[in-house]
């Protein structure tokens, strides 16, 4: 087993994860995959989703919704329930490969939390945990050999021939999880269909979901700075012209203060403000990719205008993640784009930048605002082909790791062993000891996880604000209609043919190219495979 330290955190990783179907994976050749069957356009509708069975016995302080607003809790239950009473293993050892974020944990022999989790599993799970920066190289080296781990993280981008690998080496989980079959694993059954839809590959359930909050949001802003220019609620901004005027007021280059600054111009913010499709738009069975729309051109033209006017911090498009965070923390920029999960953590923006707030959407052109449903899963986990008995044991492991908030197992996985890793305050909340970090960073949560819950003890105001943000955005949520579809052409060369459009867009915003250059790149995308991808998705919609 190897667990290596990484300086990359989860919010950085979100940028690289392919949320949904494998439309972003490039199909090449993977050693050992053998002959592949013909790949056909398909969607989540081609398989029955696992039956949803909500977990019982826990009342949230702020209720979630069936549409995806997470439930919120101010305190941990004083008497948590044990959701898995019988260990799924009987002395077996299985293996896994996944990412790790943060410092490496104490080894198994010096880690009481690790030991207790494996005691409850009834066996061992040897984890090879790899930094995000090294993951693509490590996993392809591992998978090219014959010793493939039993559980394999799919980050949506690192495995070149993902469908070939699935067909040759991974377990089709449909018969184990589809419909009522999932009831054998109650914690997995408590994960809503929204998340399971993201695990369908080539018309089958090929993976386990690692759920996230649904919407990544539009980033964050400094509420104090915005209040100084008369804005206390960003959703009340009238239109793009008013927003540009606000950006002007927020900018004072001589004082080293700008309105906006983000890696690659933070285009996700502007795409949502201008109503750009969340990847694809479907109308009466016809599909349109985001780059083909007038809204796309309007959004990037607005960003180019703001950049030319000096409202976007010069050079910020080339920032690293840490540079962006530092610029927002020290007040150089009043707004950034980053994922909403980065807000309500102990070291998140809400705590480190007390004046920060989630940026709520307005409609740049008038009408109904938009928030993308673009943070549905963190990643998914595949299971190596095996006999039915072994597959059921691996699903038993996943069932324990998916124990929901309020259970003993959730407390153990996230906070460790009481006494060694935490004590409990009068309200029942775990208070970490000095050993907690080193014992609880084993990446169980990056193999399987429950549906999300909002919880940050001692920060009720942060949880309320986060819940309000989700409650405001989820009803405005726009899904990617292709997220649960499969296009062979997109899988084989989607990334490659989109890159010139992305490059031309960045160059246009920076002033190095014109809007006509962007349009020419879009036209080239269509002939290079874009039109074929569209037809395959349209076919998959009818499947």
């Amino acid at each position: 087993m190897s667990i290596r330290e990484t300086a990359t955190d989860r919010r950085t990783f979100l940028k690289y994860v392919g949320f949904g179907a494998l439309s972003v994976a490039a199909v090449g050749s993977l050693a050992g995959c053998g002959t592949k069957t013909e790949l056909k356009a398909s969607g989540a509708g081609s398989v029955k989703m696992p039956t949803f069975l909500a977990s019982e016995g826990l009342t949230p302080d702020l209720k979630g919704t069936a549409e995806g607003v997470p439930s919120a809790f101010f305190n941990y239950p004083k008497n948590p329930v044990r959701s898995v009473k019988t260990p799924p293993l009987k002395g077996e050892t299985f293996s896994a490969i996944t990412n790790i974020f943060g410092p490496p944990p104490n080894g198994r022999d010096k880690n009481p939390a690790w030991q207790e989790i494996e005691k409850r599993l009834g066996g061992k799970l040897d984890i090879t945990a790899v930094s995000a920066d090294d993951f693509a190289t490590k996993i392809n080296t591992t998978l090219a050999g014959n010793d493939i781990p039993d559980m394999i993280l799919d980050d949506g981008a690192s495995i070149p021939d993902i469908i070939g690998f699935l067909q040759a080496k991974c377990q089709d989980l449909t018969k184990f999880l589809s419909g009522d079959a999932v009831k054998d694993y109650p914690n997995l059954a408590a994960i809503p269909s929204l998340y399971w839809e993201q695990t369908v590959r080539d018309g089958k359930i090929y993976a386990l979901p690692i759920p996230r909050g649904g919407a990544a949001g539009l980033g964050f802003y400094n509420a104090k700075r915005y209040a100084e220019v008369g804005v206390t609620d960003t959703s009340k901004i009238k239109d793009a012209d008013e927003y540009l005027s606000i950006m002007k007021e927020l900018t004072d280059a001589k004082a080293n203060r700008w309105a906006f600054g983000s890696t690659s111009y933070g285009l996700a913010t502007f795409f949502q403000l201008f109503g750009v499709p969340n990847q694809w738009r479907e109308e009466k069975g016809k599909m349109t990719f985001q780059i083909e729309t007038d809204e796309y051109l309007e959004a990037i033209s607005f960003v180019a205008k703001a950049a030319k006017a000096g409202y976007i911090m010069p050079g910020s498009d080339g920032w690293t993640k840490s540079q962006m965070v530092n610029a927002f923390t020290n007040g150089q920029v009043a707004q950034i784009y980053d994922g909403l999960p980065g807000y309500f953590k102990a070291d998140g923006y809400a705590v480190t930048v007390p004046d920060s707030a989630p940026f709520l959407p307005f409609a740049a052109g008038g009408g109904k605002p938009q928030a993308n449903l673009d943070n549905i899963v963190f990643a998914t986990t595949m299971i190596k082909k095996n006999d039915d008995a072994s597959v059921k044991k691996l699903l038993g492991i996943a069932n324990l790791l998916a124990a929901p908030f309020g259970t003993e197992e959730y407390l153990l996985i996230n906070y460790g062993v009481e006494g060694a890793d935490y004590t409990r305050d009068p309200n029942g909340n775990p208070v970490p000891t000095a050993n907690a970090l080193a014992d609880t960073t084993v990446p169980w949560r990056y193999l399987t996880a429950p549906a999300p819950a909002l919880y940050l003890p001692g920060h009720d105001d942060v949880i309320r604000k986060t819940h309000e943000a989700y409650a405001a955005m989820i009803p405005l949520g726009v899904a990617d209609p292709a997220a649960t579809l499969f296009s062979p052409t997109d899988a084989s060369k989607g990334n490659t043919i989109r890159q010139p459009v992305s490059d031309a867009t960045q160059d246009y915003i920076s002033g190095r190219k014109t809007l006509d250059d962007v349009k020419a790149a879009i036209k080239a995308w269509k002939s290079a495979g874009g039109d074929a991808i569209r037809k395959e998705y349209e076919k998959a919609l009818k499947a």
Side-chain angles (χ1 to χ4, degrees):
M1 173 181 171
S2 62
I3 294 187
R4 290 183 286 170
E5 184 173 5
T6 174
T8 306
D9 68 14
R10 179 167 60 85
R11 297 192 305 252
T12 302
F13 183 54
L14 291 174
K15 182 173 67 174
Y16 302 104
V17 174
F19 299 112
L22 302 178
S23 58
V24 298
V27 174
S29 60
L30 183 66
C33 278
T35 303
K36 300 195 294 279
T37 59
E38 180 185 359
L39 301 183
K40 298 179 180 180
S42 58
S46 60
V47 61
K48 188 175 183 179
M49 289 295 101
T51 300
F52 174 68
L53 294 175
S55 54
E56 299 178 354
L58 187 61
T59 302
D61 294 291
L62 301 173
K63 290 184 179 180
T65 68
E67 291 74 28
V69 177
S71 296
F73 302 85
F74 297 146
N75 295 295
Y76 207 86
K78 292 184 178 181
N79 297 300
V81 298
R82 186 165 185 165
S83 69
V84 179
K85 296 181 173 61
T86 303
L89 305 183
K90 295 182 178 180
E92 299 91 348
T93 296
F94 289 99
S95 59
I97 184 168
T98 185
N99 269 279
I100 189 170
F101 301 89
N106 286 332
R108 178 189 277 122
D109 59 335
K110 297 180 179 179
N111 192 322
W114 192 334
Q115 293 168 17
E116 179 61 24
I117 290 171
E118 291 192 328
K119 178 181 177 181
R120 296 196 177 211
L121 289 174
K124 293 182 178 180
L125 186 64
D126 287 336
I127 304 175
T128 297
V130 189
S131 73
D133 291 340
D134 299 330
F135 188 69
T137 299
K138 177 65 175 179
I139 195 168
N140 280 286
T141 300
T142 301
L143 300 186
N146 293 320
D147 190 18
I148 298 174
D150 298 298
M151 302 180 78
I152 308 134
L153 182 82
D154 174 18
D155 68 359
S158 293
I159 303 174
D161 185 2
I162 182 65
I163 296 297
F165 177 69
L166 287 169
Q167 292 176 337
K169 300 294 184 181
C170 294
Q171 183 68 46
D172 174 3
L173 299 173
T174 308
K175 73 173 184 178
F176 299 96
L177 298 173
S178 178
D180 288 348
V182 78
K183 292 181 180 179
D184 288 340
Y185 313 97
N187 290 337
L188 294 180
I191 298 175
S193 295
L194 170 71
Y195 303 107
W196 283 109
E197 289 172 354
Q198 313 302 309
T199 68
V200 176
R201 274 74 162 141
D202 199 28
K204 304 176 183 68
I205 298 174
Y206 258 122
L208 304 166
I210 304 174
R212 287 299 179 262
L218 288 85
F220 310 107
Y221 71 104
N222 187 309
K224 182 178 180 180
R225 292 269 305 275
Y226 265 72
E228 290 171 354
V229 299
V231 179
T232 56
D233 181 349
T234 58
S235 70
K236 303 301 183 184
I237 297 174
K238 186 168 57 178
D239 54 26
D241 289 338
E242 183 176 3
Y243 185 38
L244 196 67
S245 297
I246 292 168
M247 294 179 81
K248 180 179 180 179
E249 291 186 72
L250 290 167
T251 300
D252 184 351
K254 292 182 179 179
N256 199 29
R257 286 154 63 101
W258 285 268
F260 194 95
S262 265
T263 304
S264 300
Y265 293 111
L267 291 180
T269 295
F270 303 101
F271 286 169
Q272 292 175 82
L273 294 178
F274 279 83
V276 177
N278 181 7
Q279 302 301 317
W280 289 85
R281 175 181 292 157
E282 183 271 325
E283 295 175 308
K284 297 181 179 180
K286 301 297 182 182
M287 299 287 279
T288 304
F289 192 45
Q290 60 176 200
I291 62 176
E292 302 177 273
T293 64
D294 291 338
E295 292 91 341
Y296 180 85
L297 299 179
E298 290 168 0
I300 64 174
S301 295
F302 177 89
V303 181
K305 186 176 182 179
K308 185 176 181 180
Y311 308 152
I312 298 176
M313 186 170 177
S316 60
D317 56 301
W319 274 347
T320 63
K321 175 64 177 293
S322 61
Q323 286 175 311
M324 182 185 74
V325 173
N326 290 338
F328 186 61
T329 302
N330 64 30
Q332 281 184 296
V333 296
Q335 185 183 349
I336 61 168
Y337 174 74
D338 200 356
L340 188 52
Y343 187 70
F344 56 98
K345 297 167 54 181
D347 60 347
Y349 292 106
V351 176
T352 59
V353 188
D355 293 320
S356 66
F359 192 97
L360 299 182
F362 64 90
K368 183 180 178 180
Q370 172 176 319
N372 289 344
L373 298 178
D374 55 0
N375 187 24
I376 298 175
V377 295
F378 171 76
T380 62
T381 296
M382 305 168 288
I383 290 179
K384 182 179 71 173
K385 277 186 179 179
N386 215 320
D387 59 88
D388 284 6
S390 294
V391 172
K392 290 178 180 179
K393 289 180 182 296
L394 286 161
L395 291 175
I397 293 174
N399 183 64
L400 188 145
L401 297 181
F405 182 91
T407 63
E408 288 184 9
E409 295 91 346
Y410 184 98
L411 192 61
L412 172 61
I413 290 166
N414 290 275
Y415 297 97
V417 173
E418 186 169 5
D421 299 309
Y422 69 88
T423 57
R424 302 188 76 175
D425 69 16
N427 293 317
N429 297 306
V431 179
T433 67
N435 296 326
L437 182 62
D439 287 345
T440 58
T441 49
V442 180
W444 309 107
R445 296 182 295 276
Y446 302 122
L447 289 171
T448 320
L454 302 179
Y455 173 66
L456 189 63
H459 295 280
D460 293 5
D461 56 335
V462 172
I463 293 303
R464 288 185 187 280
K465 191 178 292 186
T466 305
H467 191 268
E468 289 170 0
Y470 277 117
M473 288 190 284
I474 294 294
L476 302 174
V478 174
D480 172 9
T484 59
L485 306 178
F486 175 69
S487 157
T489 302
D490 205 355
S492 65
K493 59 181 181 180
N495 275 349
T496 302
I497 65 175
R498 283 192 293 270
Q499 191 60 48
V501 180
S502 178
D503 293 342
T505 296
Q506 294 287 321
D507 286 342
Y508 163 57
I509 295 171
S510 300
R512 296 186 294 268
K513 287 190 176 181
T514 67
L515 191 60
D516 285 339
D517 292 320
V518 177
K519 293 177 180 178
I522 294 169
K523 184 177 180 180
W525 168 84
K526 293 181 181 181
S527 60
D531 286 337
I533 293 170
R534 179 195 344 279
K535 290 179 181 178
E536 290 171 357
Y537 280 138
E538 289 173 353
K539 182 178 180 180
L541 279 171
K542 299 175 184 177

